[in-house]
Amino acid sequence: MGMTPDGRPIPPPHADERAMLESWLEFHRATLALKCAGLDDRQLRLAPVAPSPMTLLGLVQHMAEVERNWFQRVFAGRDVPPVYEGGKGDGFALAPDRGIDEALAVWRAEVARSRELIAASSLDDSGKLSEQEAGHVGDDGVSLRWILVHMIEEYARHNGHADLLRESIDGVTGA
């Protein structure tokens, strides 16, 4: 697999469906980490796009929650607590004593668990949605394929937010 000049894995131009989905998810995971690289704690806590309170640190924490929800709760059926206490349970709330090193370590641990949980599964294997999620989706379960596509979309959307946040902090743009 090739790498971009900034070190992210380039998804293969030709691959089977599973490899393609997992490659794009890995690319977007690496993009989120890249958007936080080289910034200090103060910068990672800035919410420079008014009126939104969104921060790069909050995005990393949020994606740890998203990884846990879709792979541990929905796909594996585990009853696990939120990653972060406080706030709305979405991970966006910041704690004064939790910086990017801790948040990235927690997020990377959630990503590693996600990979482990799906390693031996088929794209057609299903997970069970909560009643609330089922109401949005229109079914009580979703396939691993659906979850992977959703995770790619979730990361891509939030990486767009991260692009805007990073540019407003120090002018860095791109990828």
Side-chain angles (χ1 to χ4, degrees):
M1 178 181 300
M3 302 292 261
T4 62
D6 54 33
R8 291 172 297 152
I10 298 172
H14 305 280
D16 65 31
E17 181 182 17
R18 175 75 178 248
M20 190 67 73
L21 291 171
E22 288 181 349
S23 295
W24 276 105
L25 182 53
E26 292 303 326
F27 175 83
H28 283 292
R29 286 170 170 159
T31 299
L32 179 61
L34 176 68
K35 291 297 167 184
C36 298
L39 297 177
D40 63 31
D41 188 64
R42 182 191 63 79
Q43 292 171 310
L44 290 159
R45 293 171 181 276
L46 286 175
V49 184
S52 174
M54 189 178 295
T55 66
L56 287 168
L57 179 56
L59 282 173
V60 171
Q61 294 177 170
H62 173 67
M63 291 313 297
E65 293 286 4
V66 171
E67 291 274 351
R68 178 171 285 191
N69 182 61
W70 287 103
F71 293 107
Q72 288 192 60
R73 288 189 192 106
V74 173
F75 188 70
R78 294 182 175 174
D79 183 18
V80 292
V83 178
Y84 298 104
E85 298 299 324
K88 300 178 197 172
D90 58 10
F92 284 112
L94 303 182
D97 60 336
R98 185 176 48 245
I100 192 64
D101 291 340
E102 180 182 342
L104 283 171
V106 168
W107 170 68
R108 287 182 176 122
E110 291 299 323
V111 167
R113 274 188 215 93
S114 298
R115 289 183 190 121
E116 290 169 11
L117 289 170
I118 68 170
S121 300
S122 160
L123 291 176
D124 293 323
D125 289 346
S126 288
K128 185 161 177 51
L129 295 170
S130 70
E131 191 173 313
Q132 180 182 7
E133 290 166 328
H136 297 300
V137 174
D139 199 305
D140 66 351
V142 290
S143 68
L144 176 56
R145 177 183 292 103
W146 190 99
I147 292 170
L148 289 171
V149 169
H150 173 69
M151 290 298 292
I152 292 165
E153 172 274 326
E154 181 92 8
Y155 271 100
R157 180 166 33 98
H158 288 313
N159 284 338
H161 298 138
D163 283 337
L164 293 172
L165 291 168
R166 182 66 189 249
E167 182 177 7
S168 66
I169 291 168
D170 67 358
V172 171
T173 61

